[in-house]
Amino acid sequence: MRIGFIGFGEVGYEMSKGFLTEDPQAQFFVYDPLYEKEETQQRAKKTHATLFSDPQSVAKETLDVLFVAVPAPFAEDAWRSIWSELNEETLHVDLTTASAQVKQRLGEDMLNEKRTFIDGAIMGALKVYQHKVPIMVSGTGSTSLIDWGKSTHMNLTYAGDLPGDATNIKFIRSIFTKGLSALLHEVMQAADKLALDDIILDSITRTMDKEPFEQIINRLISSNVIHSQRREKEMENVIDFLNSHGIEPQMTKATRDKLKMITQANILEKNQGDPPKDWKQVMRLVNCT
Amino acid sequence: MRIGFIGFGEVGYEMSKGFLTEDPQAQFFVYDPLYEKEETQQRAKKTHATLFSDPQSVAKETLDVLFVAVPAPFAEDAWRSIWSELNEETLHVDLTTASAQVKQRLGEDMLNEKRTFIDGAIMGALKVYQHKVPIMVSGTGSTSLIDWGKSTHMNLTYAGDLPGDATNIKFIRSIFTKGLSALLHEVMQAADKLALDDIILDSITRTMDKEPFEQIINRLISSNVIHSQRREKEMENVIDFLNSHGIEPQMTKATRDKLKMITQANILEKNQGDPPKDWKQVMRLVNCT
């Protein structure tokens, strides 16, 4: 296999090491703005990569896949700098953390020239997983990349034909995972401080492990439509409770504020007084204002 | 069975209806400050309860269990008003939403007079479950109440011998459940707005259903110790992202602030650079300042 990397930082280096374990004959053609740096040269040496001093030389090679893996602010420039060398055969994959808008714009321009353009959002730790890191992919050519990736055991998930969607999914997922981590921190800090940690752990895990998470989503989002006002007041009391124990109620204050906003959204009224049947209906009513 | 209620609002009425389904011979002795009100009288009639115009008369009866179920601000007064009539045999249960401090104080005074005092925290919907509503109980006499409750199919969970603990557990649990509901609202609103709802649902439920929740707690709380600073910046970007789509990033802002606080807590440093082995260790390091 012949793989190009524009940007040969952690992403390119770790993935290359992984690809080599699958195919010791794999060939890498790489460029990095820091190509003169000792570290870059060592990385190229360790992966037997051909290190160029300009990105065009990478793009001129016959490649199965060309990855761009530069810091987000340089993503668009990196693609534009090799624009004239790109072709219809190579799979072009943007692994940067550039915004969905940037990736959508690049994708449209690529599509106009009949080139593939795949938005790849890395969802895990590269040092742990190397080329097997979970990557969400969207855009023209995604399914071809997934086919190609199967032989190398890449962990690619199809997220649609629009570049930017993979990036948006990564963002939205991270609201959830980081938010949950912050919430659990606040909850467990209170539990530990009051020496109720074991019983709280038991109570919470039992609730969470009892039913599939989709049912929990439905139950929690839907019940707020009816009970948000009462719960606002409950959260007021919990804020006082946390303050009195010296715990900063950041997540609980935000919960109260969100509940207030849910109350003000009059979701039940918008649905002619019928309780929404699931979270999807709640969100349609919320977003259709 | 002979049951007393000081306060005969929704709690007393719904529980009595439930007890009657278990034992049609059950006898109720009740007082409510609104005893003259038509609604109270109807409730007493429907449950064949003896309705008194003073609380002492209830307490004077020979009772298996005496429940106090008045609004939180009146809890202490309600107990003090019947103080001289209480005995060592009856199980005294406080079902109010008074604070743990109030319940602790009452419990100590009761203990000094060798009386039981059980803090009962109602954890579910009374109209749905009636006397079978999940109740967390703590304090002297909790295990006796649990024994008694078995024959009537009450759903009682032992939370320790200290009154106030059941109340605190209810509070701490609600930080989690209401916080999760608010977080899911924010996440799913974004997913719906970007027409990525199905793929986000799939991605999140898959992560959550994959492992027991205790492992998720460990993973999320522990990884923040190492990655909180990077995640703060990630949340900054997500805040911009949500704002640009017209979604109020209340939970995400709180997440960023919590992560900032975690960074500033220098947890890794407090542990001589060793990553904490589980959430419990993280909390001990956080709380031992």
Side-chain angles (χ1 to χ4, degrees):
Chain A
M1 59 179 124
R2 298 171 62 89
I3 298 172
F5 280 104
I6 307 297
F8 202 59
E10 194 194 2
V11 176
Y13 179 52
E14 293 296 334
M15 287 184 70
S16 299
K17 283 196 291 182
F19 283 129
L20 278 174
T21 64
E22 302 281 344
D23 173 12
Q25 308 301 318
Q27 285 184 277
F28 306 103
F29 306 91
V30 310
Y31 161 76
D32 194 282
L34 306 172
Y35 64 91
E36 285 182 316
K37 229 180 122 187
E38 177 64 21
E39 193 187 3
T40 313
Q41 305 228 350
Q42 281 299 323
R43 283 176 171 177
K45 210 174 156 190
K46 280 191 189 155
T47 52
H48 319 296
T50 309
L51 178 61
F52 293 103
S53 59
D54 65 297
Q56 293 79 14
S57 299
V58 174
K60 268 179 192 158
E61 292 286 335
T62 303
L63 302 169
D64 300 316
V65 185
L66 174 60
F67 293 104
V68 167
V70 296
F74 308 116
E76 184 148 12
D77 281 353
W79 284 111
R80 302 289 180 197
S81 75
I82 52 173
W83 204 255
S84 59
E85 310 300 337
L86 299 177
N87 59 64
E88 296 180 23
E89 282 74 41
T90 306
L91 295 166
H92 302 121
V93 185
D94 185 310
L95 291 178
T96 72
T97 57
S99 72
Q101 285 90 327
V102 168
K103 297 200 182 194
Q104 277 158 10
R105 187 165 59 226
L106 281 163
E108 274 169 35
D109 292 353
M110 287 283 214
L111 195 60
N112 287 336
E113 308 209 17
K114 292 196 179 131
R115 295 171 191 155
T116 62
F117 184 77
I118 300 150
D119 169 15
I122 296 173
M123 315 287 282
L126 274 157
K127 283 200 177 160
V128 178
Y129 298 106
Q130 299 187 320
H131 71 300
K132 290 180 186 168
V133 71
I135 303 178
M136 195 67 86
V137 293
S138 72
T140 319
S142 294
T143 50
S144 305
L145 181 70
I146 289 171
D147 283 344
W148 181 86
K150 270 178 195 153
S151 62
T152 60
H153 301 105
M154 289 181 80
N155 180 359
L156 305 167
T157 304
Y158 177 71
D161 282 337
L162 289 175
D165 276 0
T167 293
N168 281 334
I169 289 164
K170 181 180 172 168
F171 264 49
I172 297 172
R173 247 193 80 95
S174 80
I175 303 171
F176 177 70
T177 52
K178 274 70 174 185
L180 184 58
S181 77
L183 179 64
L184 286 168
H185 190 97
E186 193 156 305
V187 171
M188 290 313 192
Q189 191 181 348
D192 178 74
K193 204 146 202 173
L194 286 139
L196 294 170
D197 46 354
D198 287 325
I199 201 161
I200 287 289
L201 178 75
D202 183 63
S203 169
I204 289 179
T205 53
R206 221 187 287 211
T207 305
M208 295 300 285
D209 291 335
K210 197 170 58 185
E211 55 185 336
F213 195 61
E214 184 170 358
Q215 282 178 27
I216 294 175
I217 295 176
N218 262 332
R219 188 161 48 79
L220 292 182
I221 292 183
S222 302
S223 68
N224 274 344
V225 172
I226 299 158
H227 300 296
S228 58
Q229 201 159 14
R230 178 169 58 73
R231 289 176 181 171
E232 275 177 51
K233 286 181 195 114
E234 200 180 331
M235 288 303 104
E236 281 296 350
N237 292 334
V238 177
I239 289 165
D240 293 342
F241 164 81
L242 287 173
N243 279 327
S244 77
H245 290 286
I247 295 164
E248 186 71 31
Q250 291 151 319
M251 299 302 288
T252 308
K253 275 187 184 164
T255 301
R256 176 202 56 193
D257 295 346
K258 183 64 82 183
L259 287 167
K260 198 171 282 180
M261 182 169 277
I262 293 169
T263 304
Q264 288 163 353
N266 290 322
I267 300 163
L268 204 58
E269 205 172 281
K270 277 187 197 162
N271 206 36
Q272 282 84 42
D274 285 339
K277 66 181 204 300
D278 56 20
W279 69 268
K280 283 201 178 200
Q281 204 185 356
V282 176
M283 289 314 155
R284 291 225 172 117
L285 292 162
V286 166
N287 279 332
C288 291
T289 42
Chain B
M1 57 180 130
R2 296 170 65 88
I3 297 172
F5 280 104
I6 308 295
F8 202 60
E10 195 194 3
V11 175
Y13 180 53
E14 293 297 335
M15 286 184 70
S16 299
K17 282 196 292 183
F19 283 129
L20 278 175
T21 63
E22 302 282 345
D23 173 12
Q25 307 304 318
Q27 284 183 277
F28 306 104
F29 305 90
V30 310
Y31 162 75
D32 195 282
L34 306 173
Y35 64 91
E36 285 183 316
K37 229 178 125 189
E38 176 64 23
E39 193 186 4
T40 313
Q41 307 229 347
Q42 281 299 320
R43 283 176 172 177
K45 207 172 157 190
K46 280 189 190 158
T47 52
H48 319 296
T50 309
L51 177 61
F52 293 102
S53 58
D54 65 296
Q56 293 79 13
S57 299
V58 174
K60 270 180 193 157
E61 292 285 335
T62 303
L63 301 169
D64 299 318
V65 185
L66 173 59
F67 294 105
V68 166
V70 297
F74 307 116
E76 185 149 10
D77 281 351
W79 284 110
R80 302 290 180 198
S81 74
I82 51 174
W83 204 255
S84 58
E85 310 299 335
L86 300 177
N87 59 63
E88 296 181 22
E89 284 72 43
T90 307
L91 295 166
H92 302 122
V93 185
D94 185 309
L95 291 178
T96 72
T97 58
S99 74
Q101 284 90 326
V102 167
K103 297 198 183 196
Q104 276 157 13
R105 187 164 57 225
L106 281 164
E108 274 169 37
D109 293 351
M110 288 282 214
L111 195 60
N112 287 337
E113 312 209 13
K114 294 195 176 132
R115 296 171 190 155
T116 61
F117 185 77
I118 300 149
D119 169 17
I122 297 172
M123 314 287 282
L126 274 157
K127 283 201 177 161
V128 178
Y129 297 106
Q130 298 187 320
H131 71 300
K132 291 181 187 168
V133 70
I135 302 178
M136 195 69 88
V137 292
S138 73
T140 318
S142 294
T143 49
S144 305
L145 182 71
I146 290 171
D147 282 343
W148 182 86
K150 271 177 194 152
S151 63
T152 58
H153 301 103
M154 289 181 80
N155 181 358
L156 304 168
T157 305
Y158 177 71
D161 281 337
L162 289 176
D165 276 1
T167 293
N168 281 334
I169 290 165
K170 180 180 173 170
F171 265 48
I172 298 172
R173 247 193 81 94
S174 81
I175 303 172
F176 177 69
T177 51
K178 274 68 173 187
L180 184 59
S181 77
L183 179 64
L184 286 168
H185 190 98
E186 192 156 305
V187 171
M188 291 313 192
Q189 191 181 350
D192 177 75
K193 205 147 202 172
L194 286 138
L196 294 170
D197 47 354
D198 287 325
I199 201 160
I200 287 289
L201 179 74
D202 183 62
S203 171
I204 288 179
T205 54
R206 223 189 285 212
T207 305
M208 296 299 287
D209 291 335
K210 198 171 55 186
E211 55 186 334
F213 194 61
E214 184 171 359
Q215 281 179 30
I216 294 176
I217 295 175
N218 262 331
R219 187 161 49 77
L220 292 182
I221 292 184
S222 302
S223 69
N224 274 344
V225 172
I226 299 157
H227 300 297
S228 59
Q229 201 160 17
R230 178 169 58 73
R231 290 176 182 171
E232 275 177 52
K233 287 185 193 108
E234 200 179 330
M235 288 303 103
E236 282 296 349
N237 292 334
V238 177
I239 290 166
D240 293 343
F241 164 81
L242 287 172
N243 278 327
S244 77
H245 289 286
I247 295 163
E248 188 69 31
Q250 290 151 320
M251 298 302 289
T252 308
K253 276 186 184 166
T255 301
R256 175 201 58 195
D257 296 344
K258 182 65 82 185
L259 288 166
K260 197 169 284 176
M261 182 167 280
I262 293 169
T263 304
Q264 288 164 352
N266 290 320
I267 300 164
L268 204 57
E269 208 171 279
K270 278 188 200 163
N271 206 36
Q272 283 82 42
D274 285 340
K277 65 180 207 300
D278 56 19
W279 69 269
K280 282 201 178 200
Q281 205 186 357
V282 176
M283 289 314 154
R284 295 233 164 112
L285 292 161
V286 166
N287 279 334
C288 290
T289 42

